């Protein structure tokens, strides 16, 4: 794979990658100081350095997914000088990536584009497997709930998240952000047999926010928290009133949206 | 967990277990001569021996699933003398099983019941993930197909399998069985977004039969084999005319049916 040697001038470009991964093996997206710690960013960067023959190359990710969290639409940018057309990068990088990471798309973006600051909205999915017994095939990609869940109540509770609110009650302790106000554009729950999925789209999310939201809606579905109390919990800004932080393996970063031509 | 010591007389019983597993780590269901080889049966037997404190205990499985193949409804019988009520076995055995194997049900059956000979029918599912790019979360539980598949044609081809036929064309070379005649009660294809599932129910299946059937229906969906040719391929009894053997990780043993009161 010596695509760089194809005829044609190299051209400096900023490229936006879309990345899907199974987060099971990884200590999250973000590269750690110790090179011993396996991270998705570390593996992606290593593959990019090999492909572009540039040991200095660094990528900037859009979202710092936690240990065990998955992605279908993570994004990252790189600056490269190459003759490889951006749309060929997904195929060209494949031999250098482990099989649990896939680059699904690549495109050129303006030189001042930033994957975090230019993000317009993001969609996360939280997957619950509801059944009397665990399904071993789903254990790494869902949280297991034994008791039946009331979908109607969960959807009623989900509506309370929509809008611009101070989500201090849905933020892990110890995280330092300038504001805990976020706007949620959509939050709803879908069911297909034993698979229950919470889909939430917002302009940004606090640390553990989707997992606390999921834990709260599970408690609503179980009848432990009344659906009409969710709005109160948000207004109360007290983390202790919200539900538990749902397990990481149920969470998937589905999509990140940008205003790009 | 000293359930055996509960008050009450022990009673010899034949017990039928339902077992779900993620086959990824295993060299198939069946125990191998070398104890180094990890098998589902080996792990289940080890757990049962610990639970029932009987180092001689052996289980008889219903279906010898291959390496990488999964199950939701594998069955096995054991003969035990215990005070544990059968319905409590799924919970009691949990601490002794790895997390990719789950006993989902247990019930007493007559002393002459046999999980293979008494089988009335079985349902297998073959899962295809159809998308322009691989989804890393699905890689261990599906076969990936890049090109769109024509569901209507696949369902037309699937119908040809239904009935009593000599399935010699759908049997891996080198397998020795007294007859290659089997009865298929139902075969159809379902789609939910990128997930395409072939569901097939029959009185029994030849070695690799479902995987060759799946490979053939994928070829039909891709337009490589005309749907109307499937009946001819079955009638021709020539393995070389059927499609490729689809990958093992797409296959799940869904259910085994018995005539039990």
């Amino acid at each position: 794979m010596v695509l760089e040697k194809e005829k044609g001038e190299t051209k400096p470009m900023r490229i936006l990658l879309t990345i899907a991964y199974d987060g099971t093996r990884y200590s999250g997206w973000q590269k750690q100081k110790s090179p011993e710690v396996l991270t998705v960013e570390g593996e992606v960067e290593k593959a990019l350095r090999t492909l572009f023959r540039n040991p200095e190359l660094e990528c900037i990710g859009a979202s710092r997914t936690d240990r065990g969290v998955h992605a279908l639409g993570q994004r990252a940018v790189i600056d490269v000088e190459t003759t490889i057309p951006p749309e060929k990068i997904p195929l060209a990088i494949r031999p250098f990536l482990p099989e649990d990471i896939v680059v699904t798309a690549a495109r050129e973006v303006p030189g001042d584009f930033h994957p975090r600051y230019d993000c317009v909205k993001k969609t996360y999915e939280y997957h619950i497997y509801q059944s009397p017994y665990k399904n071993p095939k789903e254990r790494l990609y869902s949280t297991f709930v034994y008791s039946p869940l009331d979908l109607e109540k969960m959807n009623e509770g989900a509506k309370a998240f929509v809008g611009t609110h101070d989500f201090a009650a849905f933020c892990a302790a110890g995280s330092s952000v300038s504001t805990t106000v976020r706007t949620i554009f959509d939050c709803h729950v879908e069911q297909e047999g034993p698979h229950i999925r919470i889909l939430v789209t917002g302009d940004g999310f606090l640390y553990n926010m989707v997992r606390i939201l999921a834990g709260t809606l599970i408690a609503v579905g179980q009848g432990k928290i009344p659906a009409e109390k969710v709005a109160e919990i948000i207004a109360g800004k007290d983390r202790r009133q919200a539900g538990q932080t749902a397990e990481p393996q149920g969470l998937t970063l589905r999509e990140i949206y940008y205003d790009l031509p």
Side-chain angles (χ1 to χ4, degrees), chain A residues 12-191:
Chain A
M13 285 189 285
R14 177 156 288 196
I15 288 169
L16 175 64
L17 307 170
T18 308
I19 304 161
Y21 47 86
D22 175 341
T24 307
R25 290 198 303 138
Y26 299 96
S27 299
W29 162 264
Q30 200 177 16
K31 233 175 17 173
Q32 307 279 310
K33 271 173 197 156
S34 159
E36 315 271 291
V37 181
L38 196 68
T39 65
V40 182
E41 187 183 24
E43 292 303 295
V44 168
E45 215 167 73
K46 210 190 317 174
L48 289 164
R49 287 174 178 187
T50 306
L51 176 66
F52 292 109
R53 297 182 182 174
N54 174 1
E56 314 274 282
L57 186 147
E58 298 215 333
C59 69
I60 306 167
S63 198
R64 291 171 194 158
T65 59
D66 277 347
R67 174 192 296 269
V69 170
H70 316 288
L72 271 179
Q74 172 68 288
R75 304 289 193 120
V77 298
I78 49 169
D79 289 315
V80 288
E81 279 203 40
T82 179
T83 58
I84 307 181
E87 67 276 14
K88 294 211 171 152
I89 292 173
L91 205 62
I93 201 173
R94 216 158 65 178
F96 309 116
L97 282 172
E99 63 169 13
D100 49 9
I101 302 178
V102 177
V103 172
T104 63
R107 57 162 292 178
E108 192 176 354
V109 286
D112 61 351
F113 176 89
H114 193 285
R116 276 201 300 281
Y117 310 142
D118 289 338
C119 164
V120 175
K121 56 183 188 171
K122 285 182 194 174
T123 299
Y124 278 95
E125 172 190 306
Y126 196 88
H127 179 203
I128 299 152
Y129 190 82
Q130 195 282 305
S131 158
Y133 284 97
K134 287 193 182 186
N135 179 341
K137 282 166 66 184
E138 303 292 343
R139 75 191 189 288
L140 306 171
Y141 310 100
S142 64
T143 202
F144 169 72
V145 175
Y146 171 84
S147 52
L149 298 176
D150 185 326
L151 255 279
E152 216 171 301
K153 284 192 176 152
M154 288 176 81
N155 266 314
E156 196 190 321
K159 273 190 208 146
F161 289 101
V162 178
T164 302
H165 303 285
D166 184 336
F167 285 105
F170 293 82
C171 183
S175 70
S176 58
V177 279
S178 55
T179 169
T180 46
V181 173
R182 294 290 183 278
T183 298
I184 299 301
F185 303 113
D186 180 63
C187 184
H188 71 277
V189 190
E190 294 174 356
Q191 177 161 24

